[in-house]
Amino acid sequence: MLELKDVKLSYGNTQVLNGVNLSVKRGDVVSIIGPSGTGKTTLLKCINYLVKPASGTIVFDQIRMDYQRADKAAIQAIRLRTAMVFQQFNVFKNMTVLQNVMDPLVVVQRKSTDEAREIALRELERVGLSDKRDSYPSQLSGGQLQRTGIARALAVRPDVMLFDEPTSSLDPELVGEVLKVIKDVTSSGITSLLVTHEMQFARNISSRIVFMDRGVVAADGSPAEIFDAPSSPRLAQFLQSELAFQ
Amino acid sequence: MDVSAMIPELLSALPLTLAITFTAIVVGFCLALVASTLRIRRVPVISNLVDLYVSYARSVPVVLQLFVAFYGLPLLVALFGAADFFSPNVAAMVGLSLYHGGYLSEVMRPAYLAVDRGQHDAADSLGYTFRQKIFRIVGPQAIHIGLPGYGNSIIYLIHNVALVMYIGAADVMATAHLIMERDYNQYQFETYLVLAVIYALMCLIAWLIIRFFELRSPMQAPEATATTQIKHALISNA
Ligand SMILES: Nc1ncnc2c1ncn2[C@@H]1O[C@H](COP(=O)(O)OP(=O)(O)OP(=O)(O)O)[C@@H](O)[C@H]1O
Ligand SMILES: [Mg+2]
Protein backbone atom coordinates (compact mmCIF):
# COMPACT_ATOMS: atom_id res chain seq x y z
CA MET A 1 0.00 0.00 0.00
CA LEU A 2 2.98 2.29 0.58
CA GLU A 3 6.06 2.38 -1.55
CA LEU A 4 9.09 4.66 -1.61
CA LYS A 5 11.34 4.50 -4.64
CA ASP A 6 14.87 5.82 -4.89
CA VAL A 7 14.30 8.63 -2.38
CA LYS A 8 17.22 11.04 -2.11
CA LEU A 9 17.61 13.93 0.27
CA SER A 10 20.40 16.12 1.50
CA TYR A 11 20.66 18.86 4.11
CA GLY A 12 23.00 21.36 2.53
CA ASN A 13 26.09 19.42 1.55
CA THR A 14 25.39 16.31 3.61
CA GLN A 15 23.62 13.62 1.68
CA VAL A 16 21.29 11.93 4.17
CA LEU A 17 19.15 9.64 2.02
CA ASN A 18 20.99 8.04 -0.89
CA GLY A 19 18.19 6.35 -2.76
CA VAL A 20 15.95 4.56 -0.30
CA ASN A 21 13.59 1.87 -1.51
CA LEU A 22 10.94 0.58 0.83
CA SER A 23 7.61 -1.06 0.37
CA VAL A 24 5.00 -1.74 2.99
CA LYS A 25 1.95 -3.96 2.66
CA ARG A 26 -1.34 -3.39 4.43
CA GLY A 27 -1.19 -4.78 7.95
CA ASP A 28 2.61 -4.87 8.04
CA VAL A 29 4.39 -3.81 11.18
CA VAL A 30 7.79 -2.68 9.95
CA SER A 31 10.52 -1.71 12.38
CA ILE A 32 13.33 0.44 11.07
CA ILE A 33 16.61 0.05 12.89
CA GLY A 34 20.05 1.42 12.25
CA PRO A 35 22.88 3.52 13.60
CA SER A 36 22.24 7.03 14.84
CA GLY A 37 22.29 9.73 12.17
CA THR A 38 21.62 7.31 9.35
CA GLY A 39 18.41 8.99 8.21
CA LYS A 40 15.64 6.98 9.87
CA THR A 41 13.74 9.99 11.18
CA THR A 42 14.28 11.77 7.89
CA LEU A 43 12.84 8.82 5.99
CA LEU A 44 9.64 8.81 8.07
CA LYS A 45 9.31 12.54 7.52
CA CYS A 46 9.53 12.03 3.75
CA ILE A 47 6.31 10.04 3.88
CA ASN A 48 4.20 12.96 5.13
CA TYR A 49 6.44 15.54 3.50
CA LEU A 50 7.75 17.22 6.65
CA VAL A 51 11.04 17.31 4.78
CA LYS A 52 11.48 17.87 1.05
CA PRO A 53 13.34 15.06 -0.73
CA ALA A 54 15.36 16.09 -3.76
CA SER A 55 14.10 13.19 -5.84
CA GLY A 56 12.29 9.88 -5.74
CA THR A 57 8.71 8.70 -5.83
CA ILE A 58 6.10 7.85 -3.24
CA VAL A 59 3.14 5.63 -3.97
CA PHE A 60 0.34 5.43 -1.44
CA ASP A 61 -2.47 3.22 -2.74
CA GLN A 62 -3.73 5.14 -5.76
CA ILE A 63 -1.84 8.33 -4.87
CA ARG A 64 1.45 8.67 -6.69
CA MET A 65 3.82 11.58 -6.34
CA ASP A 66 7.19 12.35 -7.80
CA TYR A 67 9.10 14.40 -5.23
CA GLN A 68 10.51 16.63 -7.96
CA ARG A 69 6.95 17.63 -8.81
CA ALA A 70 5.50 17.78 -5.32
CA ASP A 71 1.82 18.53 -5.45
CA LYS A 72 -0.24 19.96 -2.65
CA ALA A 73 -3.28 17.77 -3.10
CA ALA A 74 -1.25 14.56 -3.00
CA ILE A 75 0.69 15.73 0.06
CA GLN A 76 -2.51 16.58 1.88
CA ALA A 77 -4.14 13.28 0.89
CA ILE A 78 -1.17 11.35 2.29
CA ARG A 79 -1.08 13.45 5.45
CA LEU A 80 -4.75 12.73 6.08
CA ARG A 81 -4.14 8.99 5.86
CA THR A 82 -1.02 8.79 8.01
CA ALA A 83 -0.39 9.86 11.58
CA MET A 84 2.95 10.41 13.20
CA VAL A 85 4.17 9.90 16.75
CA PHE A 86 7.28 11.95 17.45
CA GLN A 87 10.43 11.33 19.42
CA GLN A 88 9.92 14.68 21.19
CA PHE A 89 6.13 14.07 21.59
CA ASN A 90 5.21 17.42 19.98
CA VAL A 91 1.98 17.59 21.90
CA PHE A 92 0.38 21.02 21.35
CA LYS A 93 1.51 23.01 24.36
CA ASN A 94 -1.38 25.46 24.34
CA MET A 95 -4.04 22.76 24.65
CA THR A 96 -5.14 20.25 27.24
CA VAL A 97 -4.75 16.53 26.62
CA LEU A 98 -8.35 16.26 25.50
CA GLN A 99 -8.10 19.31 23.22
CA ASN A 100 -4.94 17.86 21.67
CA VAL A 101 -6.81 14.76 20.62
CA MET A 102 -10.01 16.56 19.61
CA ASP A 103 -8.54 19.46 17.69
CA PRO A 104 -7.45 17.64 14.51
CA LEU A 105 -10.85 15.95 14.37
CA VAL A 106 -12.71 19.25 14.58
CA VAL A 107 -10.34 21.41 12.54
CA VAL A 108 -9.06 19.04 9.88
CA GLN A 109 -11.77 16.40 9.66
CA ARG A 110 -14.60 18.86 10.37
CA LYS A 111 -16.34 16.56 12.80
CA SER A 112 -18.80 18.00 15.29
CA THR A 113 -17.45 18.81 18.74
CA ASP A 114 -19.61 16.10 20.30
CA GLU A 115 -18.42 13.42 17.94
CA ALA A 116 -14.79 14.53 18.28
CA ARG A 117 -15.10 14.49 22.03
CA GLU A 118 -16.55 11.01 22.03
CA ILE A 119 -13.74 9.65 19.83
CA ALA A 120 -11.09 11.50 21.84
CA LEU A 121 -12.36 10.15 25.15
CA ARG A 122 -12.33 6.63 23.75
CA GLU A 123 -8.72 6.97 22.57
CA LEU A 124 -7.63 8.48 25.87
CA GLU A 125 -9.22 5.55 27.64
CA ARG A 126 -7.30 3.22 25.36
CA VAL A 127 -3.94 4.79 26.25
CA GLY A 128 -4.91 5.05 29.93
CA LEU A 129 -5.11 8.83 30.20
CA SER A 130 -8.77 9.43 30.98
CA ASP A 131 -7.93 11.01 34.32
CA LYS A 132 -5.45 13.44 32.75
CA ARG A 133 -7.70 14.77 30.02
CA ASP A 134 -7.88 18.31 31.42
CA SER A 135 -4.17 18.62 32.18
CA TYR A 136 -1.86 20.82 30.15
CA PRO A 137 1.35 19.36 28.67
CA SER A 138 3.47 21.26 31.20
CA GLN A 139 1.84 19.18 33.93
CA LEU A 140 2.56 15.76 32.43
CA SER A 141 5.39 13.23 32.54
CA GLY A 142 7.16 12.17 29.35
CA GLY A 143 5.27 8.91 29.25
CA GLN A 144 1.94 10.70 29.59
CA LEU A 145 2.94 13.17 26.88
CA GLN A 146 3.83 10.38 24.51
CA ARG A 147 0.60 8.54 25.23
CA THR A 148 -1.22 11.79 24.43
CA GLY A 149 0.68 11.90 21.15
CA ILE A 150 -0.35 8.33 20.40
CA ALA A 151 -4.00 9.00 21.26
CA ARG A 152 -3.98 12.06 19.00
CA ALA A 153 -2.56 9.98 16.16
CA LEU A 154 -4.99 7.09 16.66
CA ALA A 155 -8.01 9.38 16.85
CA VAL A 156 -7.67 10.46 13.22
CA ARG A 157 -8.06 6.80 12.17
CA PRO A 158 -4.98 6.71 9.97
CA ASP A 159 -4.25 3.92 7.49
CA VAL A 160 -0.61 4.03 8.51
CA MET A 161 0.95 4.90 11.86
CA LEU A 162 4.45 6.36 11.83
CA PHE A 163 6.33 6.01 15.11
CA ASP A 164 9.64 7.86 15.33
CA GLU A 165 11.61 6.53 18.28
CA PRO A 166 8.61 6.96 20.54
CA THR A 167 10.46 5.91 23.69
CA SER A 168 13.98 7.21 23.23
CA SER A 169 13.49 10.50 25.04
CA LEU A 170 11.77 8.87 28.00
CA ASP A 171 13.20 8.06 31.39
CA PRO A 172 13.82 4.28 31.58
CA GLU A 173 11.00 3.68 34.05
CA LEU A 174 8.47 5.30 31.68
CA VAL A 175 9.41 3.27 28.60
CA GLY A 176 7.30 0.30 29.58
CA GLU A 177 3.95 2.10 29.72
CA VAL A 178 4.46 3.52 26.22
CA LEU A 179 5.70 0.26 24.69
CA LYS A 180 2.63 -1.46 26.09
CA VAL A 181 0.38 1.01 24.28
CA ILE A 182 2.33 0.66 21.03
CA LYS A 183 2.13 -3.10 21.23
CA ASP A 184 -1.60 -2.84 21.71
CA VAL A 185 -1.85 -0.56 18.66
CA THR A 186 0.30 -2.64 16.33
CA SER A 187 -1.40 -5.87 17.30
CA SER A 188 -4.77 -4.36 16.38
CA GLY A 189 -3.80 -4.74 12.72
CA ILE A 190 -3.04 -1.16 11.81
CA THR A 191 -0.18 -0.79 9.35
CA SER A 192 2.78 0.67 11.25
CA LEU A 193 6.27 1.92 10.65
CA LEU A 194 8.35 2.09 13.78
CA VAL A 195 11.81 3.58 14.11
CA THR A 196 13.29 2.20 17.29
CA HIS A 197 16.37 1.29 19.24
CA GLU A 198 14.40 -1.20 21.37
CA MET A 199 15.67 -4.33 19.64
CA GLN A 200 13.84 -6.91 21.72
CA PHE A 201 10.58 -5.02 21.35
CA ALA A 202 11.05 -4.64 17.58
CA ARG A 203 11.66 -8.35 17.27
CA ASN A 204 8.52 -9.19 19.22
CA ILE A 205 6.00 -6.98 17.49
CA SER A 206 7.29 -6.66 13.91
CA SER A 207 6.39 -8.61 10.83
CA ARG A 208 9.44 -7.14 9.12
CA ILE A 209 12.67 -5.44 10.08
CA VAL A 210 14.45 -2.90 7.90
CA PHE A 211 18.08 -2.08 8.62
CA MET A 212 19.08 1.38 7.45
CA ASP A 213 22.71 2.27 7.13
CA ARG A 214 24.37 5.35 5.62
CA GLY A 215 21.22 6.57 3.95
CA VAL A 216 20.08 3.36 2.27
CA VAL A 217 18.14 0.24 3.21
CA ALA A 218 20.97 -2.19 3.85
CA ALA A 219 18.92 -5.21 4.92
CA ASP A 220 15.25 -6.10 4.92
CA GLY A 221 13.66 -9.28 6.22
CA SER A 222 11.72 -11.10 8.89
CA PRO A 223 12.81 -10.61 12.50
CA ALA A 224 14.39 -14.04 12.52
CA GLU A 225 16.34 -13.37 9.33
CA ILE A 226 17.66 -10.05 10.59
CA PHE A 227 18.41 -10.95 14.18
CA ASP A 228 19.48 -14.58 13.92
CA ALA A 229 21.24 -14.55 10.58
CA PRO A 230 22.50 -11.04 9.90
CA SER A 231 23.36 -10.78 6.23
CA SER A 232 26.21 -8.31 6.47
CA PRO A 233 29.08 -7.61 8.85
CA ARG A 234 27.80 -4.07 9.45
CA LEU A 235 24.39 -5.35 10.51
CA ALA A 236 25.97 -7.94 12.80
CA GLN A 237 28.20 -5.30 14.29
CA PHE A 238 25.26 -2.92 14.81
CA LEU A 239 23.16 -5.60 16.51
CA GLN A 240 26.03 -6.53 18.75
CA SER A 241 26.57 -2.94 19.88
CA GLU A 242 22.84 -2.45 20.51
CA LEU A 243 22.61 -5.64 22.56
CA ALA A 244 25.71 -4.75 24.50
CA PHE A 245 24.15 -1.40 25.25
CA GLN A 246 20.91 -2.81 26.57
CA MET B 1 -2.91 80.46 42.89
CA ASP B 2 -3.48 76.96 44.18
CA VAL B 3 -1.11 74.23 43.05
CA SER B 4 -3.93 71.82 42.46
CA ALA B 5 -5.44 74.11 39.82
CA MET B 6 -2.92 72.90 37.31
CA ILE B 7 -4.08 69.29 37.55
CA PRO B 8 -7.22 69.75 35.44
CA GLU B 9 -5.18 71.86 33.07
CA LEU B 10 -2.66 69.08 32.66
CA LEU B 11 -5.38 66.50 32.29
CA SER B 12 -6.95 68.51 29.48
CA ALA B 13 -3.94 67.47 27.39
CA LEU B 14 -4.45 63.81 28.28
CA PRO B 15 -6.89 62.98 25.45
CA LEU B 16 -4.38 64.06 22.82
CA THR B 17 -1.60 62.18 24.60
CA LEU B 18 -3.76 59.05 24.69
CA ALA B 19 -4.81 59.52 21.07
CA ILE B 20 -1.18 59.61 19.98
CA THR B 21 -0.40 56.56 22.11
CA PHE B 22 -3.35 54.51 20.86
CA THR B 23 -2.70 55.38 17.25
CA ALA B 24 0.88 54.24 17.63
CA ILE B 25 -0.23 51.06 19.40
CA VAL B 26 -2.74 50.13 16.70
CA VAL B 27 -0.83 51.23 13.60
CA GLY B 28 2.46 50.00 15.06
CA PHE B 29 0.94 46.59 15.70
CA CYS B 30 -0.21 46.27 12.10
CA LEU B 31 3.16 47.45 10.79
CA ALA B 32 4.95 44.99 13.06
CA LEU B 33 2.75 42.13 11.88
CA VAL B 34 3.50 42.89 8.23
CA ALA B 35 7.19 43.51 8.90
CA SER B 36 7.66 40.27 10.88
CA THR B 37 5.81 38.24 8.25
CA LEU B 38 7.98 39.66 5.47
CA ARG B 39 11.15 39.10 7.45
CA ILE B 40 10.25 35.49 8.29
CA ARG B 41 9.19 34.67 4.74
CA ARG B 42 12.20 36.37 3.12
CA VAL B 43 10.67 37.87 -0.03
CA PRO B 44 13.65 39.09 -2.10
CA VAL B 45 14.25 42.87 -2.11
CA ILE B 46 11.10 43.65 -0.09
CA SER B 47 12.41 41.80 2.95
CA ASN B 48 15.69 43.68 2.69
CA LEU B 49 13.84 46.99 2.65
CA VAL B 50 11.90 45.88 5.71
CA ASP B 51 15.18 44.96 7.45
CA LEU B 52 16.36 48.49 6.74
CA TYR B 53 13.17 49.98 8.18
CA VAL B 54 13.43 47.87 11.33
CA SER B 55 17.02 48.83 11.97
CA TYR B 56 16.10 52.49 11.42
CA ALA B 57 13.27 52.27 13.95
CA ARG B 58 15.42 50.48 16.48
CA SER B 59 18.69 52.35 16.20
CA VAL B 60 17.83 56.01 15.52
CA PRO B 61 16.95 57.97 18.69
CA VAL B 62 13.20 58.39 18.90
CA VAL B 63 13.41 62.15 19.14
CA LEU B 64 15.31 62.16 15.85
CA GLN B 65 12.69 59.90 14.30
CA LEU B 66 10.09 62.47 15.30
CA PHE B 67 12.04 65.26 13.62
CA VAL B 68 12.41 63.10 10.52
CA ALA B 69 8.65 62.55 10.47
CA PHE B 70 7.89 66.22 11.12
CA TYR B 71 10.21 67.64 8.44
CA GLY B 72 10.31 64.68 6.09
CA LEU B 73 6.63 63.88 5.64
CA PRO B 74 5.67 67.27 4.16
CA LEU B 75 8.50 66.85 1.65
CA LEU B 76 7.26 63.39 0.82
CA VAL B 77 3.66 64.45 0.17
CA ALA B 78 4.88 67.49 -1.78
CA LEU B 79 6.73 65.06 -4.01
CA PHE B 80 3.37 63.54 -4.92
CA GLY B 81 1.86 67.00 -5.41
CA ALA B 82 -0.45 66.81 -2.38
CA ALA B 83 -0.97 69.72 -0.02
CA ASP B 84 0.81 69.59 3.32
CA PHE B 85 -1.65 68.32 5.90
CA PHE B 86 0.85 67.39 8.61
CA SER B 87 0.14 69.07 11.86
CA PRO B 88 2.61 68.34 14.67
CA ASN B 89 0.04 65.94 16.09
CA VAL B 90 -0.23 63.90 12.89
CA ALA B 91 3.54 63.90 12.51
CA ALA B 92 3.81 62.64 16.09
CA MET B 93 1.37 59.82 15.38
CA VAL B 94 3.16 58.81 12.19
CA GLY B 95 6.61 59.07 13.72
CA LEU B 96 5.75 57.04 16.82
CA SER B 97 3.79 54.45 14.83
CA LEU B 98 6.83 53.87 12.65
CA TYR B 99 9.09 53.65 15.69
CA HIS B 100 6.79 51.32 17.62
CA GLY B 101 6.10 49.11 14.59
CA GLY B 102 9.78 48.56 13.91
CA TYR B 103 10.56 47.94 17.53
CA LEU B 104 7.63 45.56 17.99
CA SER B 105 8.53 43.51 14.93
CA GLU B 106 11.67 42.52 16.78
CA VAL B 107 9.44 41.22 19.57
CA MET B 108 7.07 39.34 17.27
CA ARG B 109 9.62 37.71 14.98
CA PRO B 110 11.69 36.09 17.73
CA ALA B 111 8.50 35.01 19.51
CA TYR B 112 7.32 33.25 16.36
CA LEU B 113 10.71 31.66 15.79
CA ALA B 114 10.87 30.52 19.41
CA VAL B 115 7.90 28.20 18.93
CA ASP B 116 9.30 24.69 18.81
CA ARG B 117 9.80 23.34 15.27
CA GLY B 118 8.08 20.14 16.42
CA GLN B 119 4.79 22.00 16.89
CA HIS B 120 4.87 22.86 13.19
CA ASP B 121 5.74 19.27 12.30
CA ALA B 122 2.86 17.88 14.37
CA ALA B 123 0.31 20.28 12.89
CA ASP B 124 1.57 19.74 9.33
CA SER B 125 1.58 15.96 9.69
CA LEU B 126 -2.03 16.05 10.86
CA GLY B 127 -3.08 18.00 7.78
CA TYR B 128 -3.60 21.47 9.28
CA THR B 129 -3.51 24.21 6.65
CA PHE B 130 -1.01 27.01 7.18
CA ARG B 131 -3.75 29.31 8.46
CA GLN B 132 -5.15 26.72 10.86
CA LYS B 133 -1.69 26.00 12.16
CA ILE B 134 -0.96 29.67 12.78
CA PHE B 135 -4.30 30.52 14.36
CA ARG B 136 -4.68 27.45 16.53
CA ILE B 137 -1.21 26.25 17.44
CA VAL B 138 1.74 28.48 16.61
CA GLY B 139 0.08 31.88 17.07
CA PRO B 140 -1.20 31.27 20.61
CA GLN B 141 2.18 29.90 21.67
CA ALA B 142 4.04 32.81 20.07
CA ILE B 143 1.74 35.26 21.87
CA HIS B 144 2.49 33.55 25.14
CA ILE B 145 6.23 33.85 24.48
CA GLY B 146 6.02 37.42 23.18
CA LEU B 147 3.70 39.02 25.74
CA PRO B 148 6.33 40.15 28.26
CA GLY B 149 8.35 41.76 25.45
CA TYR B 150 5.18 43.34 24.13
CA GLY B 151 4.51 44.83 27.55
CA ASN B 152 7.96 46.39 27.57
CA SER B 153 7.50 47.83 24.10
CA ILE B 154 4.24 49.49 25.18
CA ILE B 155 5.92 51.03 28.21
CA TYR B 156 8.79 52.36 26.06
CA LEU B 157 6.20 53.81 23.73
CA ILE B 158 4.42 55.62 26.55
CA HIS B 159 7.74 57.07 27.70
CA ASN B 160 8.60 58.17 24.19
CA VAL B 161 5.29 59.96 23.75
CA ALA B 162 6.76 62.57 26.11
CA LEU B 163 9.13 63.52 23.29
CA VAL B 164 6.44 64.79 20.94
CA MET B 165 6.66 68.25 22.52
CA TYR B 166 9.91 68.71 20.60
CA ILE B 167 7.96 68.87 17.35
CA GLY B 168 5.27 71.04 18.90
CA ALA B 169 2.50 68.57 19.73
CA ALA B 170 0.60 69.70 22.82
CA ASP B 171 0.70 66.55 24.97
CA VAL B 172 0.78 66.55 28.80
CA MET B 173 4.51 67.22 28.84
CA ALA B 174 4.26 70.26 26.55
CA THR B 175 1.28 71.53 28.52
CA ALA B 176 3.21 71.18 31.76
CA HIS B 177 5.92 73.41 30.33
CA LEU B 178 3.37 76.00 29.22
CA ILE B 179 1.86 76.06 32.70
CA MET B 180 5.23 76.44 34.36
CA GLU B 181 6.27 79.34 32.14
CA ARG B 182 2.99 81.11 32.66
CA ASP B 183 3.24 80.72 36.46
CA TYR B 184 6.80 82.05 36.54
CA ASN B 185 8.19 78.61 37.34
CA GLN B 186 7.04 78.69 40.94
CA TYR B 187 5.58 75.18 40.99
CA GLN B 188 8.11 73.34 38.88
CA PHE B 189 8.65 70.47 41.25
CA GLU B 190 4.95 69.96 41.92
CA THR B 191 4.14 70.04 38.23
CA TYR B 192 6.78 67.47 37.38
CA LEU B 193 5.55 65.33 40.26
CA VAL B 194 1.99 65.34 38.90
CA LEU B 195 3.39 64.54 35.48
CA ALA B 196 5.31 61.61 36.91
CA VAL B 197 2.16 60.27 38.53
CA ILE B 198 0.27 60.54 35.23
CA TYR B 199 2.97 58.59 33.38
CA ALA B 200 3.26 56.01 36.13
CA LEU B 201 -0.50 55.47 36.04
CA MET B 202 -0.56 55.06 32.27
CA CYS B 203 2.22 52.48 32.47
CA LEU B 204 0.56 50.69 35.36
CA ILE B 205 -2.71 50.37 33.48
CA ALA B 206 -0.92 49.11 30.37
CA TRP B 207 1.04 46.65 32.47
CA LEU B 208 -2.09 45.38 34.21
CA ILE B 209 -3.85 44.78 30.91
CA ILE B 210 -0.91 42.83 29.52
CA ARG B 211 -0.40 40.92 32.73
CA PHE B 212 -4.05 39.92 32.59
CA PHE B 213 -3.55 38.39 29.14
CA GLU B 214 -0.32 36.75 30.24
CA LEU B 215 -2.06 34.99 33.10
CA ARG B 216 -4.99 34.02 30.95
CA SER B 217 -2.91 32.45 28.24
CA PRO B 218 -3.56 28.74 28.28
CA MET B 219 -0.12 27.18 28.49
CA GLN B 220 -0.98 25.74 31.87
CA ALA B 221 -4.05 25.40 33.97
CA PRO B 222 -4.62 28.52 36.04
CA GLU B 223 -3.89 27.63 39.64
CA ALA B 224 -5.41 30.84 40.91
CA THR B 225 -7.74 33.13 39.02
CA ALA B 226 -6.16 35.91 37.02
CA THR B 227 -7.39 38.64 39.34
CA THR B 228 -5.94 37.12 42.50
CA GLN B 229 -2.65 36.58 40.69
CA ILE B 230 -2.60 40.22 39.62
CA LYS B 231 -3.19 41.18 43.21
CA HIS B 232 -0.21 39.09 44.32
CA ALA B 233 1.92 40.52 41.54
CA LEU B 234 0.99 44.05 42.58
CA ILE B 235 1.85 43.40 46.19
CA SER B 236 5.21 41.88 45.31
CA ASN B 237 5.84 44.79 42.94
CA ALA B 238 5.10 47.45 45.52
N1 LIG C 1 17.20 19.96 9.89
C1 LIG C 1 18.42 19.43 9.66
N2 LIG C 1 19.41 20.18 9.14
C2 LIG C 1 20.63 19.66 8.90
N3 LIG C 1 20.95 18.39 9.14
C3 LIG C 1 20.02 17.59 9.66
C4 LIG C 1 18.70 18.06 9.96
N4 LIG C 1 17.99 17.04 10.46
C5 LIG C 1 18.82 15.99 10.49
N5 LIG C 1 20.05 16.30 10.00
C6 LIG C 1 21.17 15.38 9.84
O1 LIG C 1 20.76 14.34 8.99
C7 LIG C 1 21.27 13.10 9.42
C8 LIG C 1 20.14 12.11 9.57
O2 LIG C 1 19.30 12.52 10.62
P1 LIG C 1 18.10 11.65 11.17
O3 LIG C 1 17.49 12.42 12.26
O4 LIG C 1 17.23 11.25 10.04
O5 LIG C 1 18.87 10.39 11.72
P2 LIG C 1 18.29 9.17 12.56
O6 LIG C 1 18.64 7.94 11.82
O7 LIG C 1 16.87 9.39 12.90
O8 LIG C 1 19.19 9.25 13.86
P3 LIG C 1 18.80 8.95 15.40
O9 LIG C 1 18.80 7.46 15.56
O10 LIG C 1 19.90 9.59 16.17
O11 LIG C 1 17.47 9.58 15.64
C9 LIG C 1 22.02 13.37 10.69
O12 LIG C 1 23.40 13.38 10.39
C10 LIG C 1 21.58 14.72 11.13
O13 LIG C 1 22.64 15.40 11.75
MG1 LIG D 1 15.82 9.89 14.70
Side-chain angles (χ1 to χ4, degrees):
Chain A
M1 74 180 305
L2 171 64
E3 202 176 348
L4 292 166
K5 291 181 196 157
D6 201 24
V7 175
K8 292 189 175 137
L9 182 146
S10 48
Y11 291 118
N13 289 329
T14 39
Q15 184 87 17
V16 176
L17 299 180
N18 295 313
V20 173
N21 292 290
L22 179 69
S23 119
V24 179
K25 287 196 292 291
R26 194 171 295 276
D28 266 355
V29 175
V30 179
S31 286
I32 303 172
I33 60 173
S36 194
T38 204
K40 305 180 297 295
T41 297
T42 307
L43 179 66
L44 277 199
K45 286 183 169 179
C46 288
I47 295 172
N48 49 22
Y49 207 69
L50 296 182
V51 293
K52 297 185 170 83
S55 64
T57 308
I58 180 169
V59 182
F60 195 114
D61 286 341
Q62 57 288 87
I63 307 161
R64 185 189 181 90
M65 183 173 80
D66 186 334
Y67 282 121
Q68 277 168 329
R69 284 180 296 278
D71 115 63
K72 263 191 156 168
I75 293 168
Q76 183 68 2
I78 293 173
R79 283 179 175 174
L80 292 180
R81 297 179 56 182
T82 59
M84 189 153 183
V85 173
F86 296 88
Q87 182 171 2
Q88 302 298 338
F89 324 132
N90 297 346
V91 168
F92 299 138
K93 293 177 190 165
N94 57 323
M95 296 181 184
T96 63
V97 167
L98 180 62
Q99 287 167 344
N100 259 280
V101 184
M102 279 176 67
D103 207 64
L105 304 178
V106 175
V107 173
V108 180
Q109 301 191 347
R110 308 211 166 281
K111 288 191 159 66
S112 73
T113 318
D114 287 341
E115 191 185 356
R117 194 182 165 79
E118 199 177 305
I119 296 171
L121 289 175
R122 203 161 49 228
E123 296 304 339
L124 287 177
E125 173 88 54
R126 182 169 173 187
V127 301
L129 274 182
S130 298
D131 55 328
K132 291 287 177 192
R133 64 179 184 223
D134 294 322
S135 299
Y136 278 88
S138 58
Q139 301 166 313
L140 298 178
S141 73
Q144 292 164 337
L145 287 170
Q146 193 57 295
R147 285 185 281 143
T148 305
I150 294 172
R152 180 176 69 185
L154 288 172
V156 303
R157 299 265 176 282
D159 293 327
V160 176
M161 284 285 282
L162 308 170
F163 294 95
D164 180 24
E165 301 195 45
T167 58
S168 57
S169 42
L170 294 177
D171 291 339
E173 71 271 19
L174 300 176
V175 169
E177 65 184 64
V178 173
L179 290 184
K180 191 165 150 284
V181 171
I182 295 172
K183 185 167 184 182
D184 170 57
V185 172
T186 51
S187 60
S188 72
I190 184 166
T191 312
S192 303
L193 266 82
L194 169 75
V195 175
T196 187
H197 285 279
E198 300 280 342
M199 293 300 142
Q200 199 52 50
F201 182 72
R203 178 173 192 154
N204 289 341
I205 66 155
S206 308
S207 54
R208 255 176 65 211
I209 307 281
V210 168
F211 173 58
M212 265 188 82
D213 190 20
R214 298 180 209 169
V216 293
V217 172
D220 184 342
S222 70
E225 284 166 344
I226 296 291
F227 287 109
D228 298 337
S231 57
S232 77
R234 281 201 49 104
L235 173 56
Q237 192 192 352
F238 168 74
L239 290 174
Q240 207 156 37
S241 68
E242 286 289 321
L243 291 175
F245 176 72
Q246 276 175 6
Chain B
M1 184 198 137
D2 186 12
V3 188
S4 63
M6 82 204 164
I7 293 179
E9 243 182 304
L10 269 182
L11 289 181
S12 72
L14 199 57
L16 176 67
T17 312
L18 291 178
I20 293 173
T21 313
F22 279 120
T23 308
I25 287 176
V26 174
V27 179
F29 185 85
C30 301
L31 281 174
L33 214 53
V34 174
S36 333
T37 309
L38 287 170
R39 296 185 79 204
I40 290 163
R41 296 219 130 178
R42 295 314 312 173
V43 186
V45 187
I46 296 176
S47 290
N48 298 323
L49 291 175
V50 176
D51 289 345
L52 200 67
Y53 155 61
V54 171
S55 63
Y56 164 80
R58 282 167 50 86
S59 52
V60 174
V62 181
V63 74
L64 251 177
Q65 293 188 40
L66 285 169
F67 281 126
V68 169
F70 183 65
Y71 291 110
L73 288 171
L75 296 179
L76 198 67
V77 290
L79 213 61
F80 292 97
D84 177 11
F85 56 89
F86 286 103
S87 67
N89 296 344
V90 176
M93 289 176 188
V94 175
L96 286 177
S97 296
L98 286 171
Y99 150 71
H100 182 58
Y103 188 91
L104 188 54
S105 87
E106 268 306 276
V107 173
M108 286 184 182
R109 194 181 66 109
Y112 174 86
L113 294 176
V115 175
D116 185 9
R117 184 69 234 165
Q119 301 284 307
H120 290 264
D121 280 352
D124 289 342
S125 74
L126 287 161
Y128 282 67
T129 64
F130 181 75
R131 277 179 77 93
Q132 290 167 341
K133 179 175 76 174
I134 295 300
F135 278 102
R136 301 198 58 83
I137 317 289
V138 179
Q141 293 184 36
I143 289 172
H144 177 81
I145 296 167
L147 262 177
Y150 184 65
N152 286 338
S153 78
I154 296 286
I155 284 169
Y156 296 150
L157 173 66
I158 292 172
H159 292 172
N160 286 322
V161 172
L163 298 170
V164 302
M165 69 167 193
Y166 287 106
I167 57 168
D171 74 322
V172 280
M173 190 75 155
T175 308
H177 283 101
L178 287 177
I179 295 170
M180 287 187 282
E181 273 174 40
R182 188 196 57 203
D183 297 346
Y184 311 106
N185 291 341
Q186 27 173 348
Y187 299 125
Q188 268 175 319
F189 176 69
E190 292 83 349
T191 312
Y192 281 125
L193 207 61
V194 174
L195 211 50
V197 171
I198 291 176
Y199 276 106
L201 278 177
M202 288 201 289
C203 288
L204 180 69
I205 291 167
W207 181 82
L208 280 178
I209 293 171
I210 287 163
R211 190 79 191 128
F212 172 78
F213 283 108
E214 258 177 63
L215 293 174
R216 244 179 45 119
S217 100
M219 299 291 270
Q220 62 240 338
E223 268 127 46
T225 63
T227 37
T228 59
Q229 284 201 24
I230 285 180
K231 240 182 265 163
H232 287 304
L234 274 179
I235 292 164
S236 64
N237 236 41

